Amino acid sequence: MLACLLVLLALLGAPLFSVLAGAAMLGFWQTETPLAVMGVEIYRVVDTPILLALPLFTYAGYILGEGHTSQRLVRLTRSVLGWLPGGLAIVAFTTCAFFTAFTGASGATIVALGALLYPALRQAGYTEKYSLGLVTTSGSLGLLLPPSLPLILYAVIAQQLPQGSGVTIDAVFKAGLLPALLMIVLLSLFGYWTSRKNPVPLQEFCWKEFRAAMAEAKWELPLPFFVLGGIYGGFFAVSEAAAVTALYVTVVSVLVYREIRPARLLGLMRDAMVMVGGILMILAVAMAFTNWLVDAEIPTRLFEFVRAHIDSKWTFLLLLNVFLLVLGCFLDIFSALVIMVPLLLPMAHGYGVHPVHLGIIFLANMEIGYCTPPVGMNLIIAGYRFKKSMVELAAATLPFLAVLLVAVLIITYVPALSLAFL
């Protein structure tokens, strides 16, 4: 009866953390486990050292989203790639991927970069449908690039499970590089092919404009080196790289560019920490729920049931992709991570799927989920931003989603792409 009530509350829109907490408490109560274990689980998440990176990278993303970073990045990439057929489309894919990786939110990318890229695409001669589809799809491209928040969150969740004890933030950061590059390259080739089929005017390469764009964006250029070079060069731990990045973008935005007033920093900190607090609250109760699932051997039973019907690892991976694509239609990426990873990771491990590879498959599918109704956040935000219906935007994104689906299949069936740097 209580379980049915929890399901009803979830369907009626109760906050996710309250549903997960209720499910965990109900499970522990039925097994006569003291409910004090809930407090222990919450403390265990808060005491995780790598979680320091989450609020720091989130804050850095809010700072970047508030200033004019997006304009400088668009100008720079356009000065480099504008002469190529489909160059402006490649500019959009590249810039959006970088911006989303640091801001951690596809919505911020659509709002910040859409105002620049959509008019530029239309003025360059691209059709309205193509321009809308490109900008809407590009919003989630950077989710596999460090320091993306979903990558960090997957590592944190996986580490709480026996099958994912070796999953680190360093590992998932490395694993996401080539799959993200594959997606950008395939979409760029599609943009090139579309441009050859329907030619649009090109921007001639100009050294003067390139030097001016480089000079304007010179303070943004070191950011990838702080994260990637600092971590993999052995100079910083992940949390230290996050701290350096947060300090750097604050100094640059407030003292160098002077685009953000010091008084505005408190508001940005508050907004960033509200988001982080929500994620941590969901994560804490989700870990308690996961602990109950493990104690009740539910992942083991689920694996045995699936194994009885599916023998092949490759068939399992195909069905996993179908399931994740459907899941992405109804759940946002953070909810999907905390609910499904504890169930899917033990199953995937039973089929011999590397836990880091599973994370990349999971997030690659969720990228597509951002653009699929009824809960596709990119569709909702783009619809609000460009005053278009969700149906119109969903139709515009279909060609791009088909390209991303090809990339997802390659990522799924070529694990070396994700595991090459491990």
Side-chain angles (χ1 to χ4, degrees), residues 345-364:
L345 184 53
M347 276 200 297
H349 182 267
Y351 281 98
V353 179
H354 195 287
V356 172
H357 183 212
L358 174 68
I360 302 304
I361 295 172
F362 194 107
L363 296 179

Side-chain angles (χ1 to χ4, degrees), residues 241 271 313 375 381:
D271 294 342
K313 169 185 175 179
V375 190
I381 294 170

Side-chain angles (χ1 to χ4, degrees), residues 59-73 99 103 108 111-113 116 220 249 252-254 257-261 264 268:
Y59 165 73
Y62 270 74
I63 293 288
L64 291 174
E66 183 79 4
H68 298 154
T69 299
S70 57
Q71 297 177 19
R72 290 186 285 272
L73 291 177
F99 197 73
T103 60
V111 171
L113 291 176
L116 302 173
E220 277 85 8
V249 299
V252 169
S253 298
V254 175
Y257 287 131
R258 298 185 180 181
E259 294 171 345
I260 299 176
R261 292 177 291 105
R264 175 65 180 135
L268 291 173

Side-chain angles (χ1 to χ4, degrees), residues 368-385:
I368 297 178
Y370 267 102
C371 299
T372 51
V375 190
M377 289 304 299
N378 283 15
L379 298 179
I380 295 171
I381 294 170
Y384 177 80
R385 178 66 185 80

Side-chain angles (χ1 to χ4, degrees), residues 94-106:
T94 306
T95 310
C96 288
F98 177 86
F99 197 73
T100 302
F102 274 90
T103 60
S106 64

